[in-house]
Amino acid sequence: MLMNYIAHLHLAQHTKTSLVGNFLGEFIKGSALDDLPLDLQHGVRLHRQIDTYTDTHPVVLALKQQFPKSIRRYSGIVLDIYFDHLLMQHWQQFSAIDVKKHTLFNQFYHDLALLHHDISPHFSRVKTGLLRHQWLDDYEQLDACSRAMQTVEKRFTRPTEFAQQAMGFIHENSAGLQQSFLHFYPDLLGHSTLFVSKLIK
């Protein structure tokens, strides 16, 4: 289970760009996107812009400084994961009335199944897992955040209690994190819309 897919899919729908293209932004590096169809290129470029904007937003920067020093270097990962959960919790606040979570996810799974580009072995594994288990809906529950962080923790070369500390921080600061998200996400929606309007004009 990885992170931050839900926000990218939601923003793709919001800006009428490719769902799969925005997903591919996690895997396409450098100029490799030049070999993709234009709609996928736009999605990848939006994905990159979303990441850059998020990493430099004052609200996000302030939140990162609140993390304990022991896991502060991983604060971006924690926020990516938890913000996806918060987006699921506040979906209708940021979506048109006819944009349903399950409908959007099903469209994404359908489009992903039709994608036959050979991106990388890692991409192929993630694609297979997503299509087989279809776990995006799981982010409705906080337990999904814990499982995602445990998956991240397993990738670390040194033993750490990252997942436990991260979830502890979330439980202790849930109100402030939610308030920050509700302040930040409208800015991200507006920025994404503006970026795409310039990208495809």
Side-chain angles (χ1 to χ4, degrees):
M1 186 175 294
L2 300 180
M3 70 218 71
N4 204 26
Y5 291 171
I6 294 172
H8 282 290
L9 294 177
H10 182 261
L11 289 161
Q13 193 284 327
H14 178 77
T15 56
K16 303 297 188 289
T17 52
S18 167
L19 299 176
V20 171
N22 279 273
F23 169 73
L24 284 176
E26 195 74 32
F27 306 92
I28 300 291
K29 306 303 179 185
S31 60
L33 83 164
D34 294 338
D35 297 328
L36 298 174
L38 190 58
D39 64 324
L40 297 184
Q41 290 187 36
H42 287 162
V44 172
R45 293 186 191 281
L46 175 59
H47 180 112
R48 293 175 178 178
Q49 184 63 209
I50 290 167
D51 286 351
T52 299
Y53 183 80
T54 298
D55 289 342
T56 57
H57 194 281
V59 168
V60 174
L61 292 175
L63 282 178
K64 289 181 177 180
Q65 291 305 308
Q66 296 177 25
F67 277 72
K69 290 184 178 180
S70 57
I71 59 170
R72 189 173 297 164
R73 63 184 295 189
Y74 308 117
S75 58
I77 296 173
V78 178
L79 292 176
D80 275 351
I81 292 171
Y82 190 54
F83 278 7
D84 264 3
H85 169 69
L86 290 176
L87 177 56
M88 292 285 280
Q89 294 291 307
H90 297 276
W91 189 269
Q92 293 306 320
Q93 182 173 342
F94 299 114
S95 305
I97 194 169
D98 61 336
V99 178
K100 308 298 184 184
K101 287 174 280 193
H102 311 304
T103 302
L104 177 61
F105 295 160
N106 287 338
Q107 183 63 55
F108 167 66
Y109 295 137
H110 175 268
D111 294 350
L112 183 61
L114 296 177
L115 182 72
H116 300 299
H117 288 73
D118 186 17
I119 305 299
S120 69
H122 175 53
F123 168 77
S124 296
R125 288 192 298 271
V126 173
K127 175 185 174 182
T128 298
L130 264 170
L131 293 178
R132 179 177 298 158
H133 302 292
Q134 300 192 3
W135 46 256
L136 292 176
D137 280 313
D138 293 352
Y139 270 82
E140 193 85 52
Q141 308 301 321
L142 187 58
D143 285 351
C145 296
S146 179
R147 291 194 297 271
M149 290 178 200
Q150 289 170 15
T151 298
V152 171
E153 183 179 288
K154 291 175 183 177
R155 299 178 191 152
F156 296 158
T157 54
R158 296 180 180 178
T160 177
E161 295 181 348
F162 158 73
Q164 181 179 345
Q165 292 183 60
M167 291 307 298
F169 177 82
I170 285 173
H171 284 297
E172 292 171 8
N173 298 276
S174 58
L177 288 166
Q178 179 171 264
Q179 183 178 13
S180 294
F181 170 77
L182 294 175
H183 177 72
F184 157 73
Y185 201 70
D187 289 351
L188 182 57
L189 285 169
H191 180 79
S192 299
T193 300
L194 180 61
F195 175 79
V196 170
S197 70
K198 295 178 178 179
L199 181 66
I200 62 178
K201 68 179 181 179

